[in-house]
Amino acid sequence: MLIRYRIEINGVVQGVGFRPFVYNLAQTLGVKGFVKNDLSGVIIEIEEDSKILELFLKKLEEEKPPLSQIYKIKVKELPLVGFKNFVIEKSTQDKEISLDILPDVATCEYCLKEMIDPHDRRYLYPFINCTLCGPRFTIIEKLPYDRENTAMRVFEMCKDCYKEYVDPKDRRFHAQPVACPYCGPYLELFDNQGNKVAEKEEALKKTTELLKEGYIVAVKGIGGFHLMGKATDAKVIDLLRKRKRRSRKPLAVMFKNLEQLKIYCKISPEEERVLLSPARPIVLLEGRELLPSHIAPGLKRIGAFLPYSPLHHLILQNLDFPVIATSGNFSDEPIVIKNEEAFKKLIYLADYLLMHNREILRRADDSVIKVINQNPIFIRRARGYAPLPIFLPFQLKERILAVGPRDKNTFAIGLENKVILSQHVGDIETVEDLEDFEKTLKDFMELYKFEPEVVVCDKHPFYETTKWAERFTLERELPLVKVQHHLAHILSCMAENEIFDEVLGIAWDGTGYGEDGTVWGGEFLVVKGKTYHRVAHLRHFCLIGGEKAIKEPKRVALALLLELYGEKALEKPIPLLKIFEKKELLLLYKAWEKRINSPLSSSCGRLFDAISALIGVNYINHYEGESPMILEDLFDYEVKDFYSLELYHEKGKYIIDWSPMIEAITFGKEPIQVKVSKFINTLAKACLEVALRFGIEKVCLSGGVMMNKPLVERITEFLSSEGFKVFYQTKVPPNDGGLSLGQVLYQGLEFLNF
Ligand code: ZN
Ligand code: ZN
Ligand code: FE
């Protein structure tokens, strides 16, 4: 039966080759009608036999362009009009700015093929790209996305490139960064004295030679510079760590292809899918016996990724070893993106600098992902993902700016039914960090022509972001809304899973400002709309020395022992005590006893730290998350036992008492793998115990601790088997990098009724 459909598609569907795709699909199926862009996405009208239209809809979702994202499809049946053919219609508002800015996309297979074809005019050209691939976010100066508004403005297209650019049938139709060896950017190689050593193909050749010889080369990539060096050479890694002042934090490794990667790492089908996705993130993978151990000291996993720019492919294709590809910066500083900056800073880190004259306009660090329960979990969301929006199933009534937290900062803007998170900004502690945050924020607001009507921040009075939000809203006379840290974590999880009724939220992280003056981080919150009740938490312990306790797991372990045994702890035969100097031990005891700079905390992250010190695997954190990462690698799935666990009631809350567990871990004679596994099992059991007491069907997991693979997998297993529905985060990081999404939702819920 002949019918007519009107299909409205909402999502990321503009500038991704969606209309040509629809056109081709219509041609193949012999469907008549039209397709056009519209303010909220793409509109299609088609007429054909109902069976064929169903097929059309099916293929529309299944075969959509790789860069597109369909959020919602609305299909309406309308009276027949008798279309004669299928056409791409001019948009009603061609001048209208589409707010979709795409992330940078890894080189596609077609471009790769051309790049290694000696007869192609872009043979070995490191800046080859097309509509399906190439830089976007990092080269856009402003909207609309046209060549003159990008970093490509300075390169005048040659005749051949222009022909491709204006031909609707060409793969490079309106590909803004289109270029070739005659008209586009080119490479230059410098030594660290600033002398030019080579250019173009010669620079590339020389770079591979240098890497073979063990030199460290700074390579300008898509979202910033990398420092590259031979990953199989221990001396190179030593040198790199020394220069970067990065003692133990894992270094990422780039492999030339999947085949080479599989020699070094074990990968699951899901991990393979993520590695090969157009975003090409770093994926944490098991197995690195064949690589020097100080690539990731104390860990079984490494951050592995594949080439994502043509330049990476060209560098790696002539090497028979993987390379370290770590961000080009001193530890804790933003990644370098400008050539001038590289000459100032990277000359101290690298022996040579491989640069080019296509400007990077904003930085985008490599994204980092871990696969848990066959799902990708973000550790860092930046290149390849930012600024793709997170869609909400309702319209926001205001333009909301959420400034995010202090650590692993991202900020977010909320408008219409979208929340757009910034790329990873990083920790905001120093004046320079704050300047960088401000710069990134200003850039984002200009890019999206975004003027907030309300600003949201964390409740922590000393977060630089909170203070910034206070100043900003005062100046602009805007309302400022403050959200409790762990509530924002749970709301972030609810937002991406589109759950807006009552949930039990388990927010476990390192630290967050609690409403009662203690440091929270092991929280169970019943959340309904904007309101929440803290219904349970981990038993308190002391962070002796405050911030210092975060850096030194041994202090937390000591605090737990003191909590258990008081002064007597110091006389017990506990191995941990031997690593303290006598004087230090007494000093710490005094601080604990008198509560000098020793706030109470219920942090689960710190509990992980404490365990790592108690079992003797890590006493000092050289980087954030070191202890939990070590423990994660010690987990043994075969171990199903628990430690005994007590839940007691205090002031209307359940307190999860870790004391029997700590006692057993301290004095037990089991191997450390068993202790670690039982510890994690016990934490998962605690979640089940609390969930059973409240009987709320939906349970949301968030916070940095919820990046722990065995823990999340155990929690999911235990709770699902009792009929609970467990939700965690796969679109934004569960750590503080995803917090700004929750902050936006908090304000967004203001106008919804529950
Ligand atoms: Zn391409
Ligand atoms: Zn050209
Ligand atoms: Fe947090």
Side-chain angles (χ1 to χ4, degrees), residues 53-109:
L53 291 194
E54 288 313 316
L55 186 64
F56 182 94
L57 282 174
K58 193 165 160 262
K59 283 185 177 277
L60 193 68
E61 292 217 43
E62 284 175 1
E63 296 170 14
K64 64 180 193 295
L67 306 186
S68 64
Q69 226 184 64
I70 294 181
Y71 174 64
K72 232 173 217 154
I73 296 190
K74 239 174 36 194
V75 183
K76 252 191 310 196
E77 206 185 314
L78 296 174
L80 294 173
V81 287
F83 292 122
K84 294 275 176 295
N85 50 8
F86 194 90
V87 291
I88 300 181
E89 246 183 38
K90 259 209 157 345
S91 321
T92 21
Q93 66 308 317
D94 243 3
K95 286 272 165 303
E96 201 64 56
I97 296 171
S98 156
L99 272 183
D100 293 337
I101 297 176
L102 288 174
D104 306 295
V105 180
T107 316
C108 73
E109 52 179 320

Side-chain angles (χ1 to χ4, degrees), residues 567-593:
E567 196 178 357
K568 287 204 188 86
L570 305 181
E571 286 134 38
K572 290 191 186 276
I574 300 171
L576 172 80
L577 299 176
K578 295 200 188 82
I579 64 148
F580 293 97
E581 305 231 345
K582 258 238 142 62
K583 245 170 85 188
E584 188 188 12
L585 202 55
L586 282 176
L587 226 66
L588 292 175
Y589 171 70
K590 277 270 158 339
W592 176 81
E593 193 195 17

Side-chain angles (χ1 to χ4, degrees), residues 422-439:
S422 73
Q423 71 273 41
H424 167 83
V425 180
D427 296 350
I428 299 165
E429 285 165 34
T430 63
V431 180
E432 290 80 30
D433 295 339
L434 188 65
E435 274 170 14
D436 180 61
F437 164 82
E438 263 188 305
K439 208 179 95 197

Side-chain angles (χ1 to χ4, degrees), residues 544-559:
I544 308 175
E547 289 287 317
K548 250 197 142 163
I550 296 172
K551 296 240 157 63
E552 300 185 10
K554 62 180 186 180
R555 285 176 180 241
V556 187
L558 178 67

